[in-house]
Amino acid sequence: MSDDLLSMTAHALGAAVAAGRVRAVDAVDKSLARARELDGGDAPLNCFLTLADPAAHDEAIRMDGGHVDADAPRPLAGVPVAIKDNIATHTLPTSCGSRILHGYVSPYEATAVRLLRAAGAIVMGKANMDEFAMGSSTENSAYGPTRNPIDPSRVPGGSSGGSAAAVAAGITSIALGSETGGSVRQPAAFCGVVGVKPTYGRVSRYGLVAFASSLDQVGVFGRTVDDAALAFQVIAAHDPRDATSATAPVDDYRVGDGDLTGLVVGKPAEYFPESLDPAVRDRSERALDALRSRGATIRDVSMPHTELAIPVYYIVAPAEASSNLARFDGVRYGLRVPQPQLRDMYEATRSQGFGPEVTRRILLGTYVLSAGYYDAYYRQAQRVRSLIAADFANVFSSGVDVLFTPTTPTPAFPFGAKSDPYEMYLSDIFTVTANLAGVPAMSLPIGRVDGLPVGGQILAPHFGEAAMFRVAYALESVLGAEAHR
Amino acid sequence: MAVNEREVRRIAELARLGIEDARVPMLVDELNRILEHMDVLSKVDTGRLAPVEGMGAGAMPLRHDAGPPIPLARTREEFAPELRDGFFTVPRLATHGDPDGGMESGA
Amino acid sequence: MNPSPDTHESATDYEMVVGLEVHVQLKTSTKAFCNCSTDFGAPPNTNTCPVCLALPGALPVLNLHAVELAVRTASALRCTVHETSIFARKNYFYPDLPKGYQISQFDRPLATDGALVIGETEKHTPITVGITRVHMEEDAGKSIHDRYPDATAIDLNRAGVPLIEIVSEPDMRSSAEAGSFLRVLKQLLEYAQVSDVSMEEGSLRVDANVSARRRGETRLGTKTEVKNMNSFSGVERALEAEFARHCGMLDRGEAIVQQTMLWDGAKGEVRPARSKEDSHDYRYFPEPDLPPLVLTKDWIDEQSALLPELPAAKRERFASRYGLNAYDIDVLVADRELANYFEAVVVAHADPKTACNWVMGEVRGALNANNLDVAAFPIRPPDLARLLDMVQDGVVSRSAAKRVFAVMLATGGKPEAVARDEGLLQVSDDGQLDGWIDAAIAAHPDEWTRFRGGEKKLQGVLVGAVMKQSGGRADPRKVNQLLAERAKE
Ligand SMILES: [Mg+2]
Ligand SMILES: [Zn+2]
């Protein structure tokens, strides 16, 4: 077998394995070998915190031996997938990139992982991430940063940096990540792959370790739009174990004939500010031209509350996080730093278990919820959040089908470039809005600047993923190789 | 609005985060540089707006009052830091009104 | 008046003001937010799952039946049940609180503005206590401090069990009123069948807010919260103790500090709970894992329609339909099972007064003597009703019926068979009756002479004597008739 297996799309590989033309074990072994190779050596990518080695190999052998339920459709048969380390798997540790969960193996599995496995996918490893998904560069992992496969001196983005890098480096064709404020789309843009954030509620959060519950969604990465759509199709489902899971019917996302006639694409002025990196602006305009060439109408729109998104996000998300992370107390699982007094045990466990950014956000979140500050910060932020959501509702009710923007203001930055926390937060400026409003959004490659990938973002109304993918299919086909040049 | 060292210590206590003294001034500085950017929100007129409460489209789904419970694929012994006779254990607390607790029970 | 060191002296100058917060465990088979069993007494931490262990990534899903029971309770307390209510997180650290927060309701509770009538004044005006709110929440686990010398043991079997918290207005003015509130509430909850309502098993827990003010003062004094009472009488004693403490402080001109006090039932005293100032900064915010609870008006109405008849209604009905007196009503209604037993007897035997007399007398006597629950009482209502029918129809005499009852109680036999087998069927045959009357007259010649002379009141003595001769089998009506006839001879 050759490297062809690694360059196959998930769709093609799944079909080939299901048809018996390719052995799952060959695909998995290739994937594991490439992961070992790239995560080793002098400049390791450090995509994975754990490799399912040899478990994934054994699982593939069993699959090839037919010891699985052959009747169920398995569109991802034998397809190796990388799972972000904050998504619970009962075969591999789930550390969330944190010392506090070092070695913790979940006694149950996330719904999204269960659905991937049911579709035939083979979990080949847990991907590195910013600790508890707090970060935009994967520099906040307790287990060392992940490098950007396109330029190892730069960050892969974050927080799902390991998943994005694994797909970009050709280790897997698809991966699961998670989004709270852009943690799939931003690394997808930085690494030159496709990244999807679903409508809030479209994918179950059951088993996704909570960062900010009202913003979190499991998302997918793919090397192609179709692979991302395929993986998304598999995990999009109602789940009775998540009270915020949507019951709306799941559409067919893998349709797109490339024709966008009659489609109106909004171009929000606030996402194309004066200060935008000129090269990013140029690639974005080129993408808009591509959409026009397929019959879409581009309409200038305004979303006036966009500039408030980062302040709102950095109140709401830390507030929820401060509560969500209270369960890491050393009592039932995870790290415990023994002390004679309970209170000291709590404090020692949590201060040694959490890294600096997590500590900062817990403090910030505790503060904005505390007596005397709740109304000024948290409640006011939730009010302004409704204005941001209204911006989307207004533009989508005015005849605009989808929005197109750059995913990030700049391409991937070098390690250590953003030492000021707030400056780092600003790299999410174009992505947090979708999480605040709960709308679906995705990033796909639209070209490169000095060899670094640039991502274009498509945003759609709630449960409008089918329209979003339709535009993405068209854009990908028009740009062709230019998307990676 | 801005925080001072006393407040940072107070919220660190609330959050059960042990913070070394030397780090407190740095945290005050970091938090204030973040909070400074939040002040813009206080200028937004949100008089009649309802805050976002609960994401997602629908209302609360309700489940039937029946089992079975979600099974555990690993025993408590495999993930608990300390277990005795099936109990999780922590350093001993006074019976009531312990300084750490606030309440004897959550109710 | 001399200043007295005994604070109870000065207490007469002050009025007690009490509000109660009652936590009630709802009677569901699974927990509020997961499918784990609520069964009591399982080995530690075995009724747990990813959700109630607060494992990373697990999510709560609300139990429909818990909502049903909470809504029924709120309706029974005459609250307004809100069509939209919101769950919130109450954040604090404690080892038996696995998530680090309790899912509760805060500024948009399930129900508000109810009332509970706890009795009446001497002038028969009802004493009503306002219900501020009823909200849903989950229980914490159990911390066991005395099991190990060096460790507190945590059992999470109870973590996540559904509770409602009932908060009253500060409308009570004495410990006795607080006691009445709790007893009436307990009865209401039993009737509504929403909880096992046992303070011993922890399915009902009470915290009290108490303050003192000079009589005639309309403003409220500074209150303290008293916790850790484990019986209704404990609540009353704790309130007296805390009130006395307040009065003493007020007399000495000291300021009451708003704080939490713990009742020590063994010592009969309250002492301050040690707590840090932060312990009350719960950082409530809407629970993002749960959308708003939206109920329709129709559904709420359906739920309250499912409530069984509540004590107040039953009381009224027993008075108007059966004409029972206040004492009998109180006794019957106090025990829902007994009230149901009574009604079941009435259904089969049309005379409510007789049924009431028997239930109040023989049935309760037998229950108490044998320490039985109504449910386990061997004489079932239809059998008792047939026995009463037999008395009414003259088949057995009243005194014979009591013996039949005793045998039924002992053997579980049916009334007809017992009466027959024990030879207790009433005799109205003239020949046999004459024989017993002859014997009675022979035994009471003096009374007989006076009776014949016109002392009618002696008829009772003579009838009694005849009944005795007959072993209770003589038909008393017939005996009366025959005695009257003979007297004229
Ligand atoms: Mg409570
Ligand atoms: Zn459970």
Side-chain angles (χ1 to χ4, degrees), chain C residues 31 34 36 48-49 51-52:
Chain C
K31 293 185 180 180
C34 62
C36 289
T48 58
C49 75
V51 179
C52 55

Side-chain angles (χ1 to χ4, degrees), chain A residues 90 107 200 206 214 243 332-333 336 339-340 342-343 350-351 360 367 373 377 380 382-383 385 420 422, chain B residues 1 3 7 15-16 18 30 33 37-38 41 44 46 49 52 55 61 70 73-74 79-80 82 89 91 100:
Chain A
H90 61 53
Y200 186 85
Y206 186 74
S214 76
R332 298 164 313 286
Y333 49 79
R336 167 183 292 198
Q339 296 286 325
L342 174 70
R343 191 179 183 108
R350 290 167 61 79
S351 59
R360 191 151 45 227
Y367 175 67
Y373 301 100
Y377 285 118
Q380 176 69 358
Q382 289 286 40
R383 287 204 164 102
R385 181 176 177 181
D420 177 68
Y422 201 79
Chain B
M1 276 190 261
V3 291
E7 277 172 315
R16 299 295 185 270
E30 286 170 8
R33 269 188 290 148
H37 295 278
M38 310 301 173
L41 297 179
V44 182
T46 54
L49 280 174
V52 171
M55 282 298 287
I70 302 169
R74 318 188 105 68
F79 56 79
E82 202 184 307
T89 52
D100 206 15

Side-chain angles (χ1 to χ4, degrees), chain A residues 194 196 222-230 442 444-445 469 472-473 476:
Chain A
V194 179
V196 178
R223 273 203 298 273
T224 64
V225 170
D226 188 50
D227 274 359
L230 172 60
M442 66 188 286
L444 71 167
F469 277 113
Y473 274 113
E476 181 181 55

Side-chain angles (χ1 to χ4, degrees), chain C residues 195-320:
Chain C
S195 171
D196 292 329
V197 263
S198 155
M199 251 182 128
E200 291 70 38
E201 283 180 17
S203 55
L204 185 147
R205 301 197 283 273
V206 182
D207 301 330
N209 289 306
V210 59
S211 62
R213 64 181 173 195
R214 250 177 219 290
R215 293 197 179 275
E217 174 65 71
T218 51
R219 281 173 312 166
L220 291 173
T222 303
K223 67 177 180 189
T224 53
E225 187 177 19
V226 189
K227 289 178 179 286
N228 197 40
M229 291 85 71
N230 45 28
S231 67
F232 290 170
S233 62
V235 172
E236 294 180 42
R237 287 167 63 217
L239 284 173
E240 287 300 334
E242 180 62 356
F243 177 61
R245 194 181 67 90
H246 280 224
C247 294
M249 288 180 73
L250 293 173
D251 272 350
R252 293 190 297 271
E254 294 168 21
I256 311 285
V257 182
Q258 186 160 354
Q259 61 181 334
T260 299
M261 308 296 292
L262 298 175
W263 168 244
D264 184 334
K267 290 187 184 151
E269 59 184 37
V270 285
R271 56 185 164 76
R274 287 172 293 153
S275 65
K276 287 227 165 182
E277 65 172 293
D278 76 23
S279 63
H280 292 294
D281 195 345
Y282 292 124
R283 290 156 287 139
Y284 280 101
F285 72 104
E287 162 60 292
D289 286 331
L290 295 171
L293 176 63
V294 179
L295 309 170
T296 64
K297 172 134 194 342
D298 285 350
W299 190 85
I300 295 166
D301 291 345
E302 265 169 45
Q303 288 306 312
S304 52
L306 285 172
L307 277 170
E309 183 180 43
L310 298 176
K314 194 177 286 287
R315 216 171 252 121
E316 222 159 85
R317 196 165 54 82
F318 278 16
S320 63

